[in-house]
Amino acid sequence: MARAAGVSRATVSRVINGIRNVDPAIQETVKKAIAATGYVPNQAARSLVTRRTGAIALVVSGAGDESGEDPFPGQVFADPFFGRVAGGIVGFLRPRGVHPILMFAETAETRAQVLAYLRQGNADGAVLVSTNADDPLPRLLVEAGLPAVLFARPPEPLPISYVDVQHRAGAKLAADHLVARGCKRIATISGPMAVPASQERLAGFRDAMAVHGQPYIPWVEGSFTYPSGEAAMERLLAEHPDIDGVFVANDVMAQAALVVLRHHGRRVPEDVAVVGFDDSSAALACRPPLTTIRHPVEDMAAEMARLLLAHIEEPERQATSVIFEPALVIRESA
């Protein structure tokens, strides 16, 4: 390779490893030689020099069944949210030659496996999607001094970088839109109260409705799943048959709510207007198409990956937070 480029082996090594003190013209010559010869760097040898694996762990963590019988991975793959997170991370990492390794950490045993995997240097760091407020993994990563970035604000104060969306602001957009449509008897289906995002969306919606002069909002808790959305909508109709507007804390539950409303002969949006949250693929699968709050998951996931690579490059880099703005996406359901 060095002979083909007409430079020293050290120069080729610096170009391949992304070291910056190489003349741009020489870099271009080396890159052309790489392309012409089909050269592929020896990753094992490269790792010895850079102390990098070229891989990061994408960890989905939560409070699963400690017996190991809970089908946690199946729940993850059934939720379009996690596909959007993975897509955003892969889209950012692929052009940079970095590969994600999917890991699950729903029990004490699997959390220990993730920590051991990272400590042994099998991946350079972790991006973590945690599904429960009681998840100890963020704290364990900080205590171990391992590079990591979270999706969503940690449930306890920790010196760890994270990305999030303004959940309260998104819920306010939903409340304002329903009120502007003329809805007078508005209810909401929240996510699980163990999840901080659910707490924020519910609080933001209640606060906004109070400003609009509606201090009491009927509320049923769901679990961000289709069956829970069905059950919650059935309960709302049974207990509050006169409702004319519903804010549902994610699109999957909203999709189920629309089916229940149709089953009971309620027209959407003429009889009951429905607003979701996420702007996931479920929103377009709804009938009618779902008005929702855009949660820029792909952009947030890409930012997670960017932050993690920055922390890997600069281990002493301070923790930071990046907060994204939600947006109202108006379709036919409200």
Side-chain angles (χ1 to χ4, degrees), residues 14-221:
R14 286 198 295 272
V15 172
I16 290 172
N17 292 315
I19 298 172
R20 297 171 185 172
N21 61 340
V22 180
D23 182 271
I26 295 176
Q27 288 188 43
E28 187 62 27
T29 298
V30 172
K31 289 176 181 178
K32 287 181 179 177
I34 290 172
T37 62
Y39 173 75
V40 178
N42 184 304
Q43 186 60 44
R46 186 177 179 183
S47 295
L48 289 173
V49 175
T50 64
R51 297 185 180 179
R52 306 274 170 77
T53 65
I56 64 148
L58 167 52
V59 184
V60 182
S61 178
D65 182 352
E66 292 293 328
S67 70
E69 297 177 357
D70 183 41
F72 185 71
Q75 295 173 13
V76 169
F77 290 127
D79 190 334
F81 167 80
F82 293 103
R84 296 176 66 194
V85 171
I89 290 171
V90 171
F92 181 86
L93 294 178
R94 179 184 289 172
R96 293 159 177 83
V98 180
H99 306 284
I101 299 167
L102 180 62
M103 304 185 74
F104 296 102
E106 73 276 24
T107 67
E109 180 182 359
T110 52
R111 285 189 287 272
Q113 290 171 359
V114 168
L115 289 169
Y117 190 85
L118 292 167
R119 283 187 173 122
Q120 291 165 8
N122 294 303
D124 299 322
V127 287
L128 173 62
V129 182
S130 183
T131 62
N132 192 284
D134 297 325
D135 183 11
L137 189 55
R139 175 175 45 79
L140 294 173
L141 289 166
V142 170
E143 292 173 350
L146 295 166
V149 179
L150 300 185
F151 193 103
R153 176 171 52 89
E156 59 179 315
L158 290 171
I160 189 168
S161 291
Y162 69 89
V163 302
D164 209 343
V165 69
Q166 293 191 33
H167 297 282
R168 287 177 180 252
K172 181 181 184 300
L173 290 173
D176 292 348
H177 183 67
L178 288 170
V179 170
R181 280 190 55 88
C183 297
K184 303 294 185 184
R185 298 169 298 280
I186 299 172
T188 185
I189 298 172
S190 78
M193 286 295 96
V195 177
S198 299
Q199 300 167 14
E200 292 287 300
R201 293 176 195 180
L202 179 60
F205 189 72
R206 282 173 163 167
D207 288 348
M209 291 304 302
V211 170
H212 287 297
Q214 297 191 36
Y216 170 69
I217 301 299
W219 158 58
V220 176
E221 180 180 1

Side-chain angles (χ1 to χ4, degrees), residues 254-307:
Q255 185 179 22
L258 289 172
V259 171
V260 171
L261 287 167
R262 187 161 59 246
H263 176 75
H264 284 272
R266 307 296 178 92
R267 298 171 301 163
V268 177
E270 293 85 355
D271 299 327
V272 183
V274 178
V275 177
F277 200 115
D278 279 342
D279 196 27
S280 68
S281 58
L284 292 175
C286 289
R287 292 293 176 266
L290 184 67
T291 292
T292 189
I293 306 302
R294 173 154 175 74
H295 186 184
V297 172
E298 292 86 353
D299 294 339
M300 294 167 67
E303 181 64 15
M304 284 177 75
R306 188 195 70 79
L307 286 173

